[in-house]
Amino acid sequence: AQTVTQSQPEMSVQEAETVTLSCTYDTSENNYYLFWYKQPPSRQMILVIRQEAYKQQNATENRFSVNFQKAAKSFSLKISDSQLGDTAMYFCAFIIIQGAQKLVFGQGTRLTINP
Amino acid sequence: DVKVTQSSRYLVKRTGEKVFLECVQDMDHENMFWYRQDPGLGLRLIYFSYDVKMKEKGDIPEGYSVSREKKERFSLILESASTNQTSMYLCASSLTPPRVRSGNTIYFGEGSWLTVV
């Protein structure tokens, strides 16, 4: 079975702090994409960062970076210099590139950035 | 601008009614997905389709069916709506195999809020 687990239902930090959101996943496949999505109250899904599983180098996008550990099937998101606008629900997800291309999400982490 | 459009943003239906939720994409994507989102449970996959007339059950298909008669349209059907199907329903699409195009791999609709009374 393909699953994604986010073990932190809620997190809260002060503005400008660094926060790390955890994600583990399970698949027997070797080729896949991993994602972190942000979902504000509007419920629109916004791509935060993407990682191709065949790439060893961790993806970065400005203040957002990942720690991708393929052997451990771990994909955590680090947000540096957090801002009030980062307050949202964050989902970890992956999609297999071959075979049954099922897009699987975790349960989500509600992140609150406090002023 | 590429789009995934869910025809109804907010619906209120009665128990036992047949409900259709429509999703249309204009990107010639082969893969399309239907999820429901509930607090604390994240997005749970109901059904997905990888081609016209092809469908696969997701993790929670009970009480739902789908139709994909045309490549651009993927419909979610609640044959007899029940109150426990009150939820937000989200449609998504991607290419086969999934790859980056116009900066994204997965495209999402805006969601459909269904209340069953």
Side-chain angles (χ1 to χ4, degrees), chain B residues 85-99:
Chain B
Q85 292 178 309
T86 291
S87 187
M88 198 276 275
Y89 291 86
L90 193 64
C91 177
S93 71
S94 78
L95 290 163
T96 297
R99 54 195 182 275

Side-chain angles (χ1 to χ4, degrees), chain B residues 9 26 43 50 53 64 91 93 97-98 102 107-108 113-114 117:
Chain B
R9 289 300 309 276
D26 63 359
L43 279 82
Y50 51 90
K53 297 191 187 296
Y64 303 93
C91 177
S93 71
S102 302
Y107 288 82
F108 294 91
W113 291 88
L114 173 65
V117 297

Side-chain angles (χ1 to χ4, degrees), chain A:
Chain A
Q2 294 163 359
T3 59
V4 177
T5 302
Q6 293 178 248
S7 58
Q8 305 148 313
E10 293 189 25
M11 295 188 74
S12 178
V13 298
Q14 296 298 121
E15 192 176 7
E17 288 184 348
T18 294
V19 59
T20 299
L21 279 59
S22 301
C23 173
T24 57
Y25 60 94
D26 188 26
T27 180
S28 57
E29 299 292 333
N30 203 41
N31 295 316
Y32 46 89
Y33 284 102
L34 288 155
F35 309 95
W36 278 99
Y37 283 97
K38 170 183 176 181
Q39 190 184 52
S42 68
R43 296 298 183 118
Q44 183 63 41
M45 297 293 273
I46 301 167
L47 178 65
V48 174
I49 200 163
R50 174 182 53 236
Q51 174 84 41
E52 289 91 335
Y54 68 88
K55 290 186 177 178
Q56 292 186 338
Q57 186 173 6
N58 289 324
T60 62
E61 286 288 341
N62 301 312
R63 298 183 295 108
F64 299 90
S65 61
V66 298
N67 182 3
F68 174 45
Q69 303 288 330
K70 191 172 184 179
K73 295 180 182 171
S74 171
F75 184 61
S76 61
L77 174 69
K78 185 171 84 171
I79 305 174
S80 303
D81 186 26
S82 57
Q83 301 175 358
L84 298 179
D86 296 332
T87 293
M89 197 75 174
Y90 285 80
F91 290 100
C92 178
F94 77 89
I95 188 166
I96 306 300
I97 295 175
Q98 295 170 325
Q101 293 154 30
K102 191 175 165 183
L103 173 62
V104 182
F105 286 85
Q107 304 91 327
T109 296
R110 183 172 301 281
L111 175 65
T112 302
I113 309 298
N114 298 307

